[in-house]
Amino acid sequence: DTAVSQTPKYLVTQMGNDKSIKCEQNLGHDTMYWYKQDSKKFLKIMFSYNNKELIINETVPNRFSPKSPDKAHLNLHINSLELGDSAVYFCASGTGNQPQHFGDGTRLSIL
Amino acid sequence: AQSVTQLDSQVPVFEEAPVELRCNYSSSVSVYLFWYVQYPNQGLQLLLKYLSGSTLVKGINGFEAEFNKSQTSFHLRKPSVHISDTAEYFCAVSRGGSNYKLTFGKGTLLTVNP
């Protein structure tokens, strides 16, 4: 059973389009996260939700909008995609200080 | 604010040699420390963690790390590496409060050569 699953795994699209990435966790964790990994492999937090409540929003352009319909799901919608949005987006989940579990990532390429 | 410095961006070693990947952190409060491994085109897998207690922690695949509070370090070690250990290794820190976001180092690419 996949603990943290993201879809799609690959996303190739054109500048200006709108796209969504979905994430689901079956670990019963309270908190879910989105991280962005750039072309140099640097990982940075974008958002975090705890029990459907937004608790972290790290200076991300407002073209990015996370949504958490319940504590097992955290989706990421991106409007008006730009070349600089090309990256790997990782979803993760965790509880308290315990290690976070990561999905396999969504590789977003903007043409 | 917390930050993590991985001192080596690349570490090449020969198979069966020992390896140490260095990690230093800075934080004004107590932290929790982690090492994750990322194989090509895959997600992050936890190697080991330090939350409290014994400063020497053992993880999967024969890796271990030592938390040194006075030197604010959390170096990763393995006594004998295999070709299959070739991967990107990330040191990360989180702290308590209303969130436990991870702050990552820039990663160390470990390349094990035959």
Side-chain angles (χ1 to χ4, degrees), chain B residues 50-64:
Chain B
Y50 173 79
L51 303 180
S52 66
S54 173
T55 57
L56 181 63
V57 292
K58 294 189 184 297
I60 62 170
N61 301 341
F63 284 94
E64 64 180 34

Side-chain angles (χ1 to χ4, degrees), chain A residues 9-10 33 35 37 40-45 48 55-56 58 90 96-104 107, chain B residues 32 34 36 38 40-46 49 51 88 90 94 98-107:
Chain A
K9 187 163 185 173
Y10 297 96
Y33 306 83
Y35 292 88
Q37 185 174 44
K40 295 183 179 178
K41 301 268 179 96
F42 184 56
L43 282 147
K44 188 171 164 57
I45 183 76
S48 173
I55 56 172
I56 298 175
E58 292 270 322
F90 285 101
N97 66 354
Q98 295 302 311
Q100 293 175 23
H101 292 248
F102 285 78
D104 286 339
R107 284 145 187 85
Chain B
Y32 310 108
F34 309 88
Y36 284 86
Q38 185 178 29
N41 295 317
Q42 293 189 26
L44 284 87
Q45 180 182 5
L46 179 73
K49 64 187 179 192
L51 303 180
E88 193 86 31
F90 293 95
S94 74
S98 61
N99 71 75
Y100 291 88
K101 69 174 184 179
L102 288 171
T103 299
F104 287 90
K106 293 188 174 181

Side-chain angles (χ1 to χ4, degrees), chain A residues 25 27-33 50 92-96 98-101:
Chain A
Q25 56 100 359
L27 297 166
H29 289 157
D30 293 329
T31 309
M32 295 185 72
Y33 306 83
N50 183 284
S93 71
T95 294
Q98 295 302 311
Q100 293 175 23
H101 292 248

